[in-house]
Amino acid sequence: MSLQDFLSTLDSLEGEASSAFDSAADPELLEAARVRFLGQKSGAIRDVQKQMGSIDKSDRKAAGMRLNEFKSNIQAAFDACKARLGGSDDSAVDPTFDPTLPGVRPNIGHIHPITQTISHLMEIMGRMGFEAAEGPEVEDPWHNFVALNIPEDHPARDPLDNFYLATARSAGKSSATRSNVEGSQLLRSQTSTVQIRVMENEQPPIRVISLGRVYRPDDPDATHFPMFHQMEGLLVDRSVTMANLKTVLRVFANNYLGDDVDIRFRPSFFPFTEPSVEVDFFWNDAWVEFGGAGMVDPAVFEAVGYDTEQFSGFAFGLGVERLCMRRHGISDIRDLYSGDLRFLRQF
Ligand code: FA5
C-alpha cells in the first residue's frame, strides 16, 4: 500500500469515527461505536495497523507518526463523547458524591477505660520492678481463704458475702450454707489469691503485681459494684519493712495521681497481714479508701512453706475502678459498666 493511500484511509476513518462517537445518543450506541473503531479483536484501528507492513520501508516512519496521531485523536473523541453521556465506565459513580466534602470517620472501637487503667498501672509498677502474675477467677477455698489465714468460721467466708458455685456438695440445696461450701468453688473475692499461687510456685525474692476481676455480692452504688478489679502487689525478700511498703505506695500514687495527691495509712486488720493498714486518698474534699495493705502474716508464709525467720514481705490490694475514677473525675462506678457509648467514648 502506498503512503498516500494509507494516509487517506486514516483520514476517512478518523472522520467516520468522530461522527459515530458524536452521533451516539446513549452509552449503548457509544459502546457499539467503540467496539467498531477501538475494539481489540476486530476494530478498524487494529485492521489499519496491520496494513503498516505493506508500506514501503522508507515511508514507514511518516506512516507510523500519523498512525499514532490518528489513534490518540480517536481515543480523545471517544473520551469526549463518554464524558458527554456520563460515561459507561463511570455510570457506577454516584452523581451526588462530592469528593470535596470531609470524609466520614469509620467507627472503630477503642479500649475500655478500665483496660487502659490496667495497662497504665502495670507500666508504673513495672518501672519499680514488679512483674505481672495471673490467677484464675474461679477459685477454691484454699487459695481464697485458708492459705490467707482466713479460718472456716471467719465472716469473710459467709455464703452471703461470696459467689459460691453450685457443686456436688451443694447441689439440690436451695442455697449454699456454711457447712456445704468447704470443697466447693467460688468466684474469687480478692486478688490476694494470686499471692498464694505465686508463692506456691516460686522462691523469694518475689516482686509481683496481679491485676484482675474479683466478685462480691455488694449492692451497686456510686463506689461499689458486684464485679470490680483489684491490683494486688506482693514483695518478699530479706529485711523488707513497712517503710518499703509505704514508699512503694507513695511513689505509685504520685506517678498515677500526681505529685500533689494526699495519701493516708490507717491502722486496720486483714487476716493475712500484720500489721495491716487501709490506704486512703484525698478525693472530692474527703478521704476515700482505695485499698488495704500490710506486712505478710507469718501464717501465710507457713502455708506456702517459706522460712519465716529468713523472709519478710509486704502486700497490698487496691481497687482499680476507684483509682481510675479518681484520676478521671468519674463520680459513679456504674458509669464504667453501663455500656453507654457516650460515656465510654470520652476515654
Ligand atoms: C481486700 O480485698 C484485701 N485483699 C486487700 C489487701 C491485699 C490487704 C493485700 C492487705 C494485703 P478490701 O476488701 O478492703 O481488701 O478491698 C480492697 C479495695 O477494693 C477497696 O479498698 C476498694 O477500693 C475496692 N473495693 C472493695 N469492694 C468493692 C466494690 N464492691 N466495688 C468496687 N471496689 C471495691
Side-chain angles (χ1 to χ4, degrees):
M1 187 185 234
S2 74
L3 177 64
Q4 207 47 50
D5 288 349
F6 183 72
L7 294 179
S8 56
T9 307
L10 294 186
D11 287 346
S12 60
L13 256 182
E14 199 175 310
E16 269 177 58
S18 57
S19 62
F21 293 151
D22 283 349
S23 61
D26 59 44
E28 282 81 45
L29 289 172
L30 179 64
E31 176 60 9
R34 184 193 68 78
V35 172
R36 187 172 146 214
F37 293 100
L38 294 165
Q40 294 291 320
K41 285 193 182 141
S42 58
I45 290 188
R46 189 174 164 278
D47 293 344
V48 82
Q49 222 163 337
K50 280 190 196 156
Q51 295 171 13
M52 279 284 286
S54 63
I55 295 175
D56 197 84
K57 265 195 179 164
S58 56
D59 293 332
R60 266 194 213 155
K61 191 173 172 200
M65 282 168 66
R66 171 66 185 120
L67 180 67
N68 286 340
E69 184 193 46
F70 161 85
K71 284 201 283 193
S72 56
N73 287 350
I74 291 194
Q75 185 64 50
F78 170 74
D79 290 344
C81 293
K82 194 170 82 166
R84 174 174 56 81
L85 293 174
S88 53
D89 286 346
D90 293 344
S91 57
V93 175
D94 178 357
T96 61
F97 174 71
D98 181 349
T100 62
L101 288 176
V104 180
R105 203 179 271 275
N107 196 4
I108 49 170
H110 65 278
I111 298 172
H112 190 275
I114 288 299
T115 313
Q116 292 183 34
T117 304
I118 288 174
S119 305
H120 193 177
L121 301 181
M122 282 170 84
E123 191 246 324
I124 292 171
M125 296 307 294
R127 276 190 261 138
M128 284 193 267
F130 285 80
E131 285 175 16
E134 280 189 2
E137 289 178 27
V138 175
E139 265 296 4
D140 51 56
W142 166 260
H143 291 94
N144 203 84
F145 302 122
V146 183
L148 286 165
N149 199 29
I150 304 175
E152 186 147 11
D153 57 354
H154 194 280
R157 295 176 68 158
D158 196 296
L160 293 174
D161 290 332
N162 294 282
F163 286 114
Y164 285 97
L165 305 182
T167 63
R169 287 193 69 180
S170 58
K173 300 195 170 122
S174 55
S175 64
T177 65
R178 200 169 283 199
S179 59
N180 70 19
V181 293
E182 192 50 62
S184 57
Q185 291 186 305
L186 74 161
L187 296 178
R188 68 180 177 190
S189 60
Q190 50 186 346
T191 44
S192 301
T193 53
V194 185
Q195 289 183 36
I196 303 302
R197 290 191 174 272
V198 169
M199 289 191 281
E200 279 174 338
N201 293 313
E202 287 173 37
Q203 288 300 309
I206 283 176
R207 199 184 278 218
V208 291
I209 49 161
S210 184
L211 283 133
R213 292 192 188 95
V214 299
Y215 303 84
R216 294 180 191 177
D218 290 346
D219 286 333
D221 62 21
T223 52
H224 292 85
F225 209 68
M227 184 285 300
F228 60 100
H229 295 71
Q230 287 187 333
M231 174 170 75
E232 192 80 12
L234 172 70
L235 187 148
V236 184
D237 208 334
R238 294 169 203 276
S239 315
V240 179
T241 68
M242 195 81 182
N244 301 132
L245 166 65
K246 293 179 89 173
T247 304
V248 165
L249 286 177
R250 251 180 221 287
V251 170
F252 161 73
N254 290 149
N255 270 275
Y256 185 64
L257 297 172
D259 284 337
D260 55 344
V261 65
D262 279 329
I263 177 169
R264 175 174 87 172
F265 300 93
R266 261 181 310 120
S268 185
F269 174 79
F270 293 100
F272 35 92
T273 47
E274 181 59 36
S276 303
V277 290
E278 301 276 12
V279 185
D280 299 343
F281 296 125
F282 201 68
W283 183 19
N284 285 348
D285 299 326
W287 286 102
V288 178
E289 175 205 317
F290 276 73
M295 301 305 293
V296 180
D297 194 293
V300 175
F301 282 155
E302 275 161 23
V304 295
Y306 278 9
D307 182 348
T308 53
E309 294 298 317
Q310 281 195 61
F311 299 114
S312 53
F314 67 70
F316 59 86
L318 305 180
V320 173
E321 278 76 3
R322 291 196 193 167
L323 289 167
C324 169
M325 290 163 72
R326 168 75 161 77
R327 186 178 156 96
H328 296 290
I330 300 167
S331 53
D332 196 321
I333 191 173
R334 290 166 293 194
D335 288 337
L336 288 164
Y337 298 113
S338 66
D340 187 339
L341 292 178
R342 290 168 306 174
F343 171 80
L344 294 172
R345 281 198 182 112
Q346 298 175 66
F347 299 92

